[in-house]
Amino acid sequence: MTLGATYQRSSQLAGQSFLNAFSFQPIPDPTNGRVTYVNESTAEEDGLVSVANNKLTLRADYTTTLSSSDSGRKSFRIESNSQYETHVAIFDIAHMPQGCGTWPAICACNEVGANWPNEGEVDIVEGVNDQTPNTCSLHTGSNCTMPSSRSMTGTSDGTDCAAYDNGNSGCGVNINDNKSYGPQFNSNGGGWYAIERSSSYIKIFFWERTSNSVPSDINSPGSSIDTSNWGTPAAYFPDTDCDFPTHFGAHNIIINLTFCGDWAGSSSVYTASGCPSTCVDYVNNNPSAFSNAYFEFNSLNIYQ
């Protein structure tokens, strides 16, 4: 496994500067969720976005009961104004959305448009219905696979990354830490996720807030970082059997929260999560269940 490299900081984002680096996407949900993605002015009016103490909070509506004719629970989908190829991004996350029916994600992709999945997609944080652990995954065009055995602390959950080969489950890695996602992540004070993307590999790292092995690059990010000091990644995606230049283009960072939809709302998935009722009925009728359906970010540092 390639050890890592040195990068220089290009963006130091927190609070309002974090928000300013992104744009709201009031679009139909690509994953067919029970959601209405709102624009920034609606998000501000409805209290779905806020900046306080230099932290950014993004949440879903948790006061409105929906009828079957309503379009979906109001929520957020934001996309970075800049695109990235070779880079490192460090997300300092204090809280992530939780609740039955929730499907939060942080991904690097170029998702909206006719060319998906040929530019590739990297899911950094993703899960449904509070089920741990976090799943990191790639979704690509055809002819991209991962070795079944590779140097990472997570567990492979599929090696074929091609989106159309396996119902778009992609090549996933389950992080070997139940505090990497959902209520257990939140009750532990959150933690740090980092992605390193190069021309020959993608690595994703996770550190719990209470870990005693968090690199200084992570808990106090400076003007430069050296990823070779970060140890074994949670998820490692090498180019052994996947030509990166033809499978991965320039990516935006997308942060969103949907409900139900193709994954969280699949009847078998929802039932197996131990969640009540049906996903859509639960999301429609239990607004107060989503009072904790929010991201709170301390910072985002990007290096290139």
Side-chain angles (χ1 to χ4, degrees), residues 226-238:
D226 182 356
T227 58
S228 63
N229 298 324
W230 290 5
T232 304
Y236 177 53
F237 303 100

Side-chain angles (χ1 to χ4, degrees), residues 182-227:
Q184 294 184 61
F185 175 91
N186 295 333
S187 63
N188 199 44
W192 295 267
Y193 274 94
I195 177 174
E196 179 184 13
R197 175 184 164 185
S198 78
S199 59
S200 59
Y201 62 83
I202 294 168
K203 298 178 184 178
I204 296 172
F205 299 83
F206 171 69
W207 295 272
E208 296 179 8
R209 183 73 59 197
T210 55
S211 168
N212 58 12
S213 60
V214 182
S216 59
D217 280 351
I218 296 296
N219 59 24
S220 52
S223 59
S224 66
I225 53 169
D226 182 356
T227 58

